[in-house]
Amino acid sequence: MKGDFDIMGNRVLKILVCDDSILSRRQMKNMLSSITECSILEAENGEIAITKYKENKPDIVFLDIVMPIKDGLTTARELKALDADVYMIIASSVGTQNSIKEALTAGVKDFVQKPIDKTQLIRIIDAYLEGGN
Amino acid sequence: MYTQFFGNYLLNNGYITSEQLIKALGCQQQGYVKLGFLAIHSGYMTSNQVEEVHICQTHDDKKFGEIAIEKGYLTEEQVDELLETQTPDYLLFSQTLEDLGYMDSATFEEAFNGYRKKYQLSKDDFSHTENDKLLEVIYDHYDISESTLSKYFIQYLSLLFNNIIRFIGKDFTPHMAQKLECMPEGHCAYQTILANRPITSYYSSDDNTLLSFASRYAQEEFPEIDEYVEASVEDFLNLHNGLFITTMSNEYKIEMTLEPPVTDRNFKLRSNADYYIIPITFSFGTVNFIFEHLVP
């Protein structure tokens, strides 16, 4: 079974949310916390996300596409090069054909279009816990 | 969306003043009975099913009834029945104007018929959010053929008004576009769509309007301006522009990208660009949407 466990034996997922919007990060954090036991790491751009990934090795990484400094698709490619097993999900309002193709090529597992709702996140968490691709 | 433009028609033809329009929009917002509420009340759907359809509506540019039928929650007959129960927006608007003493029903009928005649609209058209006639109404308000803005700009505006209805509310009236000479004071956020002919869209308003707009978008009450309020407006622009370039990619095979949104209260107009301003009056204040196109 994937994820870390707390002292009570509950499974705790480590999730990195990378989005330049402080509001989106808070909304994601609230939704994820209501779905599963998890500890949330936050990053406001791809560069910070890569640093936090190296330091914490999160179970799941949510990436926005449009961000300053380093965008989500570049970040996805770099994370994949760093760790072939990285579990990445794109969470963005941009769902163009090119961006979806690029995301899949970069090894992203799934794509959710903003505004994000809880049902989508439940599906993603379930798929991760079942070891799905 | 025709009802929103009808407010503009009443204003421009001297039927009501802008103060009366703002008051009527506020009262009208409180009077809406949503189709989902009626479906629960009629025993056709559970609250969970209604919630599920509402979530789908945030992603699909479809009406409540269409999605409910697709999911098998309602039949076409039930949707028709509920729509008959639901007061159409324009009737609710008429009732509000009459209740407030701004217009009697005969004057409303005269204005309403004049508006319908101008755009050759049937009463049924008023329940549609997307059709060719609507694009004509929008085009009539925003004939920018002389401008340097993209030919897809009418679709951009149509989606903008739909997104305002979805994420902010129905209680608004868009005004005519004007060429802008200097940036209005107050809050300013913007985002650029990178394409062959890049377009930058701006949100501009005073601080009280900003608080109301952000509170509605984020669905939480913001007492004062902070980074979450600023992020709400940036997120609205980003969401709208993201949905627009997604539509352009899927329907027209045109690929565009976005720059991150920016908040800059001291923004000054650039000399090498055209600017058009579209004020949108809500019950809580006026938001200016401004569009920039760099002149080659």
Side-chain angles (χ1 to χ4, degrees):
Chain A
M1 196 175 275
K2 294 184 177 181
D4 291 339
F5 294 84
D6 65 14
I7 53 168
M8 303 298 286
N10 297 315
R11 192 171 53 230
V12 181
L13 291 180
K14 205 185 285 179
I15 301 174
L16 173 60
V17 176
C18 179
D19 195 311
D20 58 328
S21 162
I22 190 171
L23 181 72
S24 291
R25 294 201 303 273
R26 187 170 75 177
Q27 288 173 336
M28 281 281 276
K29 194 174 172 178
N30 290 344
M31 273 192 272
L32 288 165
S33 303
S34 72
I35 294 168
T36 184
E37 284 290 322
C38 58
S39 64
I40 308 281
L41 303 157
E42 295 183 42
E44 59 194 65
N45 63 57
E47 211 162 274
I48 296 171
I50 290 170
T51 305
K52 291 205 173 178
Y53 187 86
K54 286 178 187 167
E55 290 169 358
N56 299 282
K57 283 288 165 79
D59 299 297
I60 305 175
V61 182
F62 284 94
L63 291 167
D64 185 18
I65 290 181
V66 181
M67 290 186 292
I69 301 174
K70 189 166 282 182
D71 67 70
L73 294 172
T74 308
T75 307
R77 284 191 289 273
E78 292 186 18
L79 283 175
K80 190 71 180 175
L82 204 66
D83 179 358
D85 295 328
V86 60
Y87 200 95
M88 298 178 288
I89 308 292
I90 291 285
S92 173
S93 63
V94 177
T96 59
Q97 301 291 322
N98 280 358
S99 58
I100 292 172
K101 270 184 220 159
E102 273 191 61
L104 291 173
T105 309
V108 164
K109 298 283 182 189
D110 207 341
F111 182 98
V112 286
Q113 186 150 19
K114 288 182 178 176
I116 290 159
D117 63 65
K118 213 168 155 177
T119 320
Q120 292 171 302
L121 294 183
I122 290 170
R123 176 174 57 77
I124 284 162
I125 299 294
D126 286 348
Y128 173 78
L129 292 173
E130 286 163 13
N133 288 314
Chain B
M1 204 194 299
Y2 293 103
T3 306
Q4 280 74 28
F5 283 98
F6 180 52
N8 179 282
Y9 178 87
L10 292 177
L11 198 61
N12 286 340
N13 287 278
Y15 285 104
I16 51 173
T17 65
S18 51
E19 288 76 21
Q20 289 174 332
L21 176 66
I22 291 167
K23 184 83 190 289
L25 289 172
C27 294
Q28 189 191 5
Q29 175 74 357
Q30 292 156 17
Y32 282 121
V33 181
K34 292 185 173 175
L35 205 66
F37 178 83
L38 292 173
I40 296 170
H41 194 66
S42 306
Y44 293 151
M45 288 173 73
T46 65
S47 55
N48 283 344
Q49 289 170 336
V50 168
E51 179 64 19
E52 193 186 331
V53 174
H54 283 155
I55 288 168
C56 289
Q57 275 190 292
T58 61
H59 300 91
D60 276 345
D61 192 14
K62 288 180 180 171
K63 288 187 285 184
F64 183 94
E66 287 177 83
I67 298 171
I69 291 170
E70 279 174 13
K71 290 187 170 291
Y73 297 148
L74 293 175
T75 63
E76 280 188 39
E77 292 72 28
Q78 286 170 331
V79 169
D80 289 343
E81 182 194 320
L82 293 173
L83 285 172
E84 278 176 27
T85 317
Q86 192 184 37
T87 311
D89 290 352
Y90 71 92
L91 282 184
L92 196 60
F93 196 37
S94 159
Q95 182 67 55
T96 305
L97 292 170
E98 200 175 325
D99 288 349
L100 290 168
Y102 297 156
M103 198 183 281
D104 59 32
S105 50
T107 312
F108 182 89
E109 197 65 18
E110 172 199 303
F112 185 60
N113 288 337
Y115 177 65
R116 280 177 52 203
K117 194 175 170 190
K118 183 175 181 186
Y119 296 109
Q120 297 181 316
L121 302 171
S122 70
K123 286 189 179 176
D124 278 350
D125 287 326
F126 279 74
S127 62
H128 292 128
T129 54
E130 275 295 346
N131 63 20
D132 290 344
K133 283 185 187 173
L134 182 60
L135 289 180
E136 277 177 36
V137 173
I138 295 174
Y139 195 83
D140 186 62
H141 282 74
Y142 307 109
D143 179 6
I144 46 146
S145 50
E146 296 301 311
S147 85
T148 48
L149 287 168
S150 150
K151 63 178 178 172
Y152 296 106
F153 193 61
I154 295 298
Q155 278 94 334
Y156 183 90
L157 286 181
S158 174
L159 184 65
L160 174 66
F161 298 135
N162 270 322
N163 284 333
I164 290 173
I165 288 173
R166 272 192 208 169
F167 300 114
I168 309 298
K170 286 180 171 181
D171 55 334
F172 70 91
T173 290
H175 300 278
M176 308 298 266
Q178 291 166 358
K179 206 155 182 186
L180 184 69
E181 300 303 334
C182 77
M183 199 71 179
E185 283 186 11
H187 186 80
C188 174
Y190 62 91
Q191 185 173 37
T192 300
I193 298 175
L194 296 172
N196 283 343
R197 305 171 77 176
I199 293 177
T200 303
S201 45
Y202 296 75
Y203 167 103
S204 161
S205 77
D206 62 39
D207 288 347
N208 284 336
T209 305
L210 168 68
L211 281 175
S212 299
F213 188 94
S215 297
R216 283 197 184 185
Y217 177 76
Q219 297 182 347
E220 59 181 288
E221 214 49 54
F222 293 119
E224 58 188 10
I225 294 172
D226 59 14
E227 52 194 348
Y228 289 98
V229 171
E230 292 184 352
S232 298
V233 172
E234 289 183 4
D235 279 13
F236 176 82
L237 285 176
N238 191 51
L239 183 62
H240 166 62
N241 287 326
L243 292 173
F244 174 70
I245 69 167
T246 302
T247 304
M248 295 306 288
S249 169
N250 291 336
E251 292 186 15
Y252 300 97
K253 310 292 175 213
I254 296 172
E255 292 294 325
M256 302 172 173
T257 56
L258 292 179
E259 285 191 344
V262 176
T263 294
D264 180 1
R265 280 180 169 259
N266 299 313
F267 183 83
K268 300 277 183 290
L269 301 189
R270 288 183 256 264
S271 58
N272 61 337
D274 286 336
Y275 292 87
Y276 295 87
I277 180 169
I278 297 179
I280 298 185
T281 299
F282 291 87
S283 57
F284 53 81
T286 295
V287 172
N288 295 305
F289 282 95
I290 297 164
F291 306 96
E292 171 197 274
H293 183 255
L294 294 176
V295 178

